[in-house]
Amino acid sequence: MKRAPRIAVVIAIVAAALSGRQWMHHRTEKPATEAPAATRPAPPRVWQLGSLELKPCELPQPHSGLSTAAWCAPFQVPEDRANPNGRKIALRLAIVRSSAQVPAPDMVAFIAGGPGQSAAESYPAIAPAMAPLLAHRNLLLLDQRGTGGSHPLSCREDELGVPGGAEETHGFDAEAVRKETRHCLEQLSKDADVRFYTTTDAVADLEDVRRALGSPKFDLLGVSYGTRVAQQYAMRHPDGLRTLILDGIAPNSLVLGEDFAVNLDAALKAQFARCEADEACRARFSDPYQTLYQLRDALRANPHKVSFRDPQNYASVQRVLSEVSLATVVRMFAYSPETAALLPLSIDAAARGDVGPLLGQAKLLTGDLGDTMDGGMQYSVICSEDADLLQPRPQDKDTILGDTMIEAFRAACSVWPHGVRPADFHEPLKSDVPTLLMSGEFDPVTPPRYGDEVVKGLPNGRHVVLKGQGHNVVARGCMPRLLDRFIDKADAKGLDTSCLDRLKPLPVFVGFNGATP
């Protein structure tokens, strides 16, 4: 089983839980005059699109026997674009075909988050948002190089050679991070030069694919880290875009990692303030924020092994509960409204000695994340594009995430080879392309202020903030319908978003049966 390196899971910038299969099956009625099956021509087994011959394929979903029906074609690119005659790598290219007989000439393209997630494997989580689009447009799923089915930079757990996983870590250990990183690099270097798995390389791949498909204009959707790829594509290939959609925005100017601690702390305060404002929640938990920090202080003084039941097989599991593991778990809970609503209850239970609710849910989240995240690619991106710009932040020391994140980046990137970052890489995006930006009110990693920053350079852009929501909001509420309208009209400013006013935060759970009626 592939496993993201320990710190790669901790620093992940994506929503941890992936939903099950949600793509839509389009049913058509047989016309009365339809010819008998024996005389009907067989459906075509090859779909010619541009210079590519696509054939029917199934995209498997992790931890599921289900799959997504698509059309696939082999596609190779040079690993080192400065050496086109050198090693070639294969990319997984898939298209979910529109139900229209004659689809629109433009094509929706989805870029997944991470860094390190596969578009094909992440697709089920946003499939409800894509369903309306498939009525008129084809959808491109291209696994970014280093992820999923595109020459993944994955380190297997049994190949890392480092004793003890994240569950055995009592605190941050820079040398342990460096040691683990070296083992991962040694394994990957057998058939990859990790310098060439950056955002810039991925943007060039995406443009090559567009041209091979016959040069359609893209309606480009980036989620989380995918918004960085989308903005870089818009800077390098503006003629390839019809519209741009950014969900959970990471500005070009952002140095990944520097704001993680303050963003999480602000999101927790805002989420826990809802408990203080609710009479039943306040009576049940008093001050969840204070309880969280009291639990953190106790674990800082006394990290210890705890036992709980695995929620998937009910087997007894032992883990070390420390301030580091607590921070990691709390951060994952904060990503979505469903798990955030459980956080006060889970923290209260853990403070009273029952760690099952907190660590059980965390095991589900980390399992999904570790199995869909290619941590080597994450290192290639961050070490090339951000690590040298990170500065110590002692002011973060007393936050729940603490000030070790930057040191963890520095430790890993002191080992990992660096690719080339263009001189203008961190310049703000300036573009006339119609752009729809969306953020969740309580997003703990890409807060709404990031979208406010990016939209300043987009005269045809509009930023909407979804009340009570967290990270990755394109499938929330009426957002799929708004996305369909935006792509249809290519007009963000004229979009009627009043339906979003009906969105509300989930009530905080005061017991495991739910919130008080």
Side-chain angles (χ1 to χ4, degrees):
M1 169 172 100
K2 73 184 180 182
R3 175 182 180 267
R6 178 192 323 164
I7 197 63
V9 172
V10 175
I11 63 179
I13 191 173
V14 295
L18 299 178
S19 66
R21 184 190 194 201
Q22 301 177 59
W23 60 281
M24 293 190 68
H25 175 69
H26 298 278
R27 179 177 179 271
T28 54
E29 298 294 334
K30 293 183 180 180
T33 58
E34 188 175 22
T39 63
R40 291 201 306 269
R45 301 302 293 171
V46 175
W47 177 22
Q48 187 75 37
L49 202 55
S51 63
L52 299 182
E53 289 188 350
L54 297 107
K55 297 181 179 180
C57 60
E58 296 287 330
L59 305 177
Q61 297 179 19
H63 302 295
S64 172
L66 302 175
S67 60
T68 298
W71 292 72
C72 299
F75 196 83
Q76 287 194 329
V77 292
E79 183 182 52
D80 177 3
R81 289 187 162 274
N83 182 18
N85 296 321
R87 177 163 49 203
K88 301 293 194 298
I89 58 175
L91 305 183
R92 177 160 65 184
L93 183 161
I95 293 179
V96 182
R97 197 165 182 173
S98 171
S99 58
Q101 287 189 337
V102 181
D106 51 301
M107 180 180 292
V108 179
F110 167 54
I111 306 173
Q117 281 200 309
S118 149
E121 293 171 3
S122 302
Y123 173 67
I126 65 162
M130 300 294 100
L133 305 178
L134 291 172
H136 303 289
R137 290 172 173 81
N138 297 316
L139 167 66
L140 170 65
L141 301 175
L142 177 67
D143 281 359
Q144 187 168 334
R145 60 166 63 194
T147 75
S150 295
H151 206 75
L153 300 186
S154 304
C155 289
R156 294 175 59 89
E157 186 168 6
D158 56 358
E159 292 167 345
L160 286 172
V162 179
E167 69 276 4
E168 295 183 19
T169 301
H170 287 208
F172 171 68
D173 184 338
E175 183 51 40
V177 171
R178 284 190 287 268
K179 186 176 181 180
E180 183 176 302
T181 305
R182 288 190 194 98
H183 280 283
C184 181
L185 181 60
E186 288 169 5
Q187 181 61 33
L188 295 178
S189 295
K190 296 174 182 178
D191 66 350
D193 187 331
V194 301
R195 295 175 299 165
F196 304 120
Y197 290 78
T198 67
T199 300
T200 302
D201 294 307
V203 164
D205 292 343
L206 183 59
E207 178 62 7
D208 281 357
V209 167
R210 189 182 73 87
R211 293 180 182 277
L213 290 169
S215 299
K217 295 278 189 178
F218 279 153
D219 301 292
L220 192 58
L221 166 62
V223 174
S224 193
Y225 158 75
T227 65
R228 169 177 279 192
V229 182
Q231 289 171 86
Q232 292 293 320
Y233 183 89
M235 290 174 66
R236 315 295 170 192
H237 305 287
D239 293 342
L241 288 180
R242 178 176 171 270
T243 63
L244 185 62
I245 306 100
L246 305 177
D247 177 10
I249 304 108
N252 279 346
S253 58
L254 180 68
V255 179
L256 291 183
E258 68 178 0
D259 287 349
F260 281 178
V262 294
N263 288 347
L264 175 60
D265 199 58
L268 291 173
K269 286 179 179 176
Q271 290 169 350
F272 290 156
R274 296 174 48 231
C275 185
E276 185 178 350
D278 180 87
E279 184 177 350
C281 189
R282 185 172 65 251
R284 175 71 172 80
F285 302 121
S286 183
D287 187 344
Y289 186 80
Q290 183 182 53
T291 302
L292 172 62
Y293 275 83
Q294 288 172 343
L295 178 60
R296 188 278 308 270
D297 292 344
L299 293 173
R300 177 179 288 177
N302 181 32
H304 56 280
K305 278 195 173 183
V306 295
S307 298
F308 64 97
R309 293 289 182 180
D310 187 313
Q312 292 176 303
N313 57 26
Y314 208 60
S316 180
V317 179
Q318 280 197 332
R319 293 288 185 270
V320 169
L321 185 58
S322 67
E323 64 170 310
V324 172
S325 57
L326 176 67
T328 304
V329 169
V330 167
R331 185 167 186 256
M332 288 188 295
F333 267 69
Y335 269 77
S336 75
E338 292 80 6
T339 49
L342 285 166
L343 195 49
L345 180 61
S346 301
I347 292 170
D348 181 75
R352 297 172 186 271
D354 180 8
V355 299
L358 195 67
L359 295 188
Q361 181 68 24
K363 191 173 188 301
L364 292 175
L365 297 179
T366 54
D368 284 341
L369 185 59
D371 292 339
T372 59
M373 180 74 66
D374 290 290
M377 177 271 190
Q378 186 178 103
Y379 283 168
S380 292
V381 167
I382 293 173
C383 295
S384 301
E385 299 166 7
D386 303 284
D388 64 312
L389 301 174
L390 288 168
Q391 299 297 321
R393 289 180 59 90
Q395 65 269 35
D396 294 343
K397 185 175 181 61
D398 290 329
T399 64
I400 194 66
L401 201 56
D403 62 348
T404 59
M405 186 68 71
I406 290 173
E407 293 308 313
F409 277 118
R410 287 179 176 274
C413 294
S414 69
V415 174
W416 204 262
H418 298 190
V420 175
R421 180 182 65 214
D424 62 348
F425 186 87
H426 284 293
E427 291 295 318
L429 174 63
K430 297 183 185 301
S431 173
D432 291 331
V433 172
T435 305
L436 181 62
L437 305 89
M438 59 193 85
S439 301
E441 179 185 12
F442 298 139
D443 190 333
V445 63
T446 55
R449 72 174 188 278
Y450 286 175
D452 291 340
E453 176 184 335
V454 173
V455 79
K456 291 177 183 177
L458 305 172
N460 294 316
R462 182 174 178 184
H463 181 211
V464 295
V465 179
L466 279 65
K467 296 177 182 176
Q469 305 305 303
H471 190 61
N472 185 357
V473 297
V474 70
R476 297 285 179 172
C478 64
M479 204 64 237
R481 187 164 74 250
L482 295 180
L483 178 63
D484 185 40
R485 290 176 183 171
F486 166 68
I487 290 179
D488 185 49
K489 302 295 184 182
D491 178 15
K493 291 186 178 296
L495 198 62
D496 180 3
T497 62
S498 59
C499 63
L500 292 176
D501 295 339
R502 295 193 293 270
L503 273 178
K504 304 293 181 185
L506 281 179
V508 179
F509 277 42
V510 296
F512 289 106
N513 291 324
T516 299

